[in-house]
Amino acid sequence: MRKPRRLSNEQLAPWVWEAKNLSIRTSPEKSGDAASSHSEGEPEQPVARPPITPIDWTALFGNANPTEIEVGTGKGLFLLNAALARPNTNFFGIEIVRKYQLYAATRYAIRNLPNVKTTCADAKLVLRDYVSAGSLAAVHVYFPDPWWKSRHKKRRVFTPDFAADAARAIATGGRLYIATDVEEYYGVMTAIVGAMPAFKLRPEEEQRAAPRTEAGFATNFERKALETGGSVWRAVYARTSEPVTVVADPVE
Ligand SMILES: C[S@@+](CC[C@H](N)C(=O)[O-])C[C@H]1O[C@@H](n2cnc3c(N)ncnc32)[C@H](O)[C@@H]1O
């Protein structure tokens, strides 16, 4: 793949959304800063937490089209195809690694795509704190980093809390898409979602609606998996009108 030329921050600005207050901690930790400087035995001081304003999708995109989020966009291939294929849908990509976020944003900027934006942040926090209930048409989670064992719990994106936040964010009738090349992780994700009345499995053929490149894959990691003879597990769920529950973690 040819490397897109690097655009300046000013040129990329329309494709980049910066979260305010995202790194503010809610409890003191041993980092030595002012917020955590209490000594042992002293009562903990509450940490000031500036108010968070949920993202107003209509204001952000300048239209009232439905909005879909992708968690862990990597180099942004899925959103590129999705944004081109569905110009009347808004796409918001969340990627924790800045260089990947900027790589993806550059691809969208070069094509001047008006319906896709990116942010560099922990998707778990964005979904939890910045997305209003019922404000999304879909959440896509493709090939999340394979931290599925119990000792990887802190790094795992797809947890019961994450799934509950996704269910809260997705409007009734909206979709949750998951895919991975790690069978065990697929088992974890489907066990979590399958135990939530807020989601109902859709027929397999609905996956074909996912945008693909001409070579037949939807994301970079899907291409890598297929080129090396690996398998891909995927599922799509509809958001029901049932209440959101946080289910037990199947990994514990
Ligand atoms: C295995 S890659 C898959 C990328 C892309 N979805 C694909 O299928 O080609 C996982 C991506 O998720 C990102 N990621 C990991 N944890 C994340 C988090 N908490 N929030 C947002 N992105 C995250 C990683 O930096 C990486 O780019």
Side-chain angles (χ1 to χ4, degrees), residues 123-140:
K124 289 195 280 190
L125 301 185
V126 174
L127 214 54
R128 188 192 70 188
D129 293 342
Y130 286 86
V131 181
S132 302
S135 69
L136 298 179
V139 170
H140 304 259

Side-chain angles (χ1 to χ4, degrees), residues 177-189:
Y177 296 87
I178 58 172
T180 177
D181 55 347
V182 180
E183 193 174 4
E184 292 94 323
Y185 203 170
Y186 185 70
V188 170
M189 292 193 284

